[in-house]
Amino acid sequence: MRNSLHVKLCQILIMLMTVGVVLGFQNLSIAGNQLVIQPNQIEIGTFFSGQSLLIQAEIPSSAQAIVEIVGQSSEEQLMKKGRRGGLWMNIGEVHVTGVPSLYIVASTESKLLEDPSADVSWGYHAIMKKIGVSGQVNENEKEKLIQDFIKLKEHYGVYKILPGQLKNSKSTNGHKKIVGTLPIPASIKPGTYEVCLTVIQQSDKQENTKQCQNMKVVMVGLPAILATLAYEHGALYGVIAVIIAILTGFAMGYIFKKGGGGH
Amino acid sequence: MSVSLYLPLAGNSINIFLLFGLGGIVGFLSGLFGVGGGFLMTPLLIMAGVPPTVAAASDSNQIVAASTSGTYAHWRLGNVDFKMGICLLVGGIIGGTLGVYLIKILRSMGNADFVIKITYVVMLAIIGGYMFVESLQSMRRQSTVKASRKPSEEPTKVSLYTKFVQSLPYQMKFEKSGITASPLLPIILGTLVGILSAIMGVGGGFIMVPVMVYMLRMPMHVVVGTSLFQILFTCINVTIMQAITNHTVDMVLAFILLLGSTIGAQFGVKISSRLKADQLKILLASIVLLVMIQMLASLIITPNLIITYKGGH
């Protein structure tokens, strides 16, 4: 009796361990595949004109997803425009803090990004809550200023909202694959960016989960050489720029014999 | 392969054919009329999305090539007054250096873009307006066969001005130009043009040529060669100063532009001999005035956004 109980307990324990190990492996496997970005390093070369970032992830069939690309937060110095003597000009300095240098967000379901005032941890509303404004700005101007700041970022292509950009595939084994391409603008600056996947559970009992990966943006080749030269050896860069211009001018003058146009 | 080229100092990419085309068109107009280039190039670059300070500084670099080519050609023809050119150059270097620091101060105050734009509006309005009226009058004169020439009051004005010029100290002979004047005069004028060059990113020739003709009373064939010689060195100074102080010279941008402009200028020179000068002058004046109106509108019309980046984005 005791032996049989012992055996049964052992069997249950082994079963539990097996299930645990299997589930553990399954979770690891999902975790490993949850967010895949391609490429995970973007290189700004001579012909760089922006790039598409491929996003792939595996999420539960019933869930929805949000993918964000977020640049490092920094302080930005801006100028407030105003009218003086009938002409629009800069009239005061404004400091904005907690601003990601880049913010691109995409969703599986359009409605997740379509309500700008929704109290969620993604989208412009969430960004706006983190932004601090100081300088020559009145309290009643701040909201309009922050809204214009977002529009300014959108104008330069570094802030984008892409509702429904992530496509779902058929679900298998309780999971589905999401795929999407996010446009990386040509004006992106070198640095480290976070690509984050938020899995939104449909039932209230389960919490949303967030997983992030780093994406590097580096300048390579000629742009890297020129930027380093320009910022670290300004005088040498200026002299080289002049020498190239003079040699080209002479070459063109020689080729066409008559020389360039007047100024 | 993409047709866009990344501009490392401008921090963005731009279509290579657009840049080459802009350079070609402005160079073509330059060759066609013998004036301008830079004063059109910088606003066109700003319209194409290049930050104003990068556009102005890179354009100075581009003008180094165009004026090298032009000076070389005029030097072979014996049309360069080096003595006068050096006096203008001294002024140009002083003015260019002052202009670069002025831009730096204005950038820190956030007014660099505004000053560049307003300087453009004023200069383009004067030059475009003058050219338009002058060529219109010239066409009317032709249509009414022989217009009577006004003896006008100009000689009185010139003689008063001449008296002032003669009263300046250190009078010296400029053999090539065939004039006697104080070197202080070209130095002062060179300084003023140098300041404008740095602010606007232009060679200053479109201001310098009328100054040399009407204020220094130099013969036209020497004016163009000497102006180009002075512009060459002024723009070398401005390019190096901008590279050191503001890091706004985009070598890639300048190189594509200068390839386009030097080639375009050659075609402009060839076409200019086949077309009626007054009609072309009116066309150029219209382009200049259109650019001016666009810039003026940006200062008058309420902007969509009440904020902008500091330092001229």
Side-chain angles (χ1 to χ4, degrees), chain B residues 38-39 42 56-57 59-60 63 91-100 102-103 115-124 126-127 188-208 211 230 234-235 238 242:
Chain B
F39 76 102
T42 302
D59 199 22
S60 289
I63 293 166
I93 288 171
I94 296 167
T97 309
L98 288 174
V100 168
L102 185 67
I103 281 283
V115 172
I116 289 173
K117 281 183 179 176
I118 203 78
T119 309
Y120 261 105
V121 168
V122 172
M123 296 312 296
L124 295 180
I126 292 169
I127 291 157
I188 293 164
L189 294 171
T191 304
L192 295 174
V193 175
I195 291 172
L196 284 172
S197 293
I199 292 173
M200 299 169 71
V202 295
F206 74 106
I207 313 163
M208 186 58 86
V211 161
Q230 184 267 335
T234 304
C235 284
V238 170
Q242 292 279 26

Side-chain angles (χ1 to χ4, degrees), chain A residues 153-165:
Chain A
K153 289 280 189 184
E154 278 189 325
H155 173 76
Y156 282 100
V158 287
Y159 276 33
K160 253 187 203 118
I161 282 201
L162 304 161
Q165 182 84 354

Side-chain angles (χ1 to χ4, degrees), chain A residues 44-49 76-81 83 86-90 93 144-145 148-149 151-153 156 186-189 219 222-223 226-227 230-231 234-235 237-242 244-246 248-250 252-254 256-263, chain B residues 1-2 4-6 8-9 11-13 30-31 34-36 61 64-66 68-70 72-73 76 109-111 114 118 205-206 209 228 231 236 239-240 243-244 247 249-252 255 258-259 262 265-266 299-303 305-310 313:
Chain A
I44 300 177
T46 307
F47 299 103
F48 180 74
S49 59
E76 294 202 15
Q77 294 183 334
L78 303 162
M79 296 305 296
K80 190 175 79 175
K81 286 181 182 176
R83 209 165 209 172
L87 299 174
W88 282 93
M89 62 179 81
N90 298 325
E93 202 171 311
K144 160 82 174 147
L145 204 133
D148 274 13
F149 178 72
K151 285 181 191 164
L152 185 73
K153 289 280 189 184
Y156 282 100
S187 53
I188 193 169
K189 301 278 177 272
M219 235 186 232
L222 189 64
L226 292 178
Y231 287 104
Y237 178 88
V239 170
I240 292 171
V242 164
I244 290 172
I246 289 174
T248 314
F250 269 124
M252 287 295 175
Y254 182 76
F256 287 92
K257 297 285 182 193
K258 282 183 181 174
H263 278 264
Chain B
M1 192 176 73
S2 167
S4 287
L5 203 59
Y6 187 76
L9 275 290
N12 210 338
S13 76
S30 175
V35 293
N61 188 199
V64 170
T68 297
S69 173
Y72 175 57
R76 285 191 308 193
M109 290 164 65
N111 283 328
F114 179 75
I118 203 78
F206 74 106
V209 169
L228 286 173
I231 284 164
I236 287 175
T239 303
I240 293 174
I244 295 170
H247 311 292
V249 177
D250 197 307
M251 216 189 279
V252 178
F255 187 72
L258 68 87
L259 279 183
T262 45
Q266 305 302 326
L299 292 171
I300 292 170
I301 297 168
T302 307
L305 307 174
I306 60 157
I307 50 163
T308 184
Y309 281 111
K310 192 180 171 186
H313 280 268

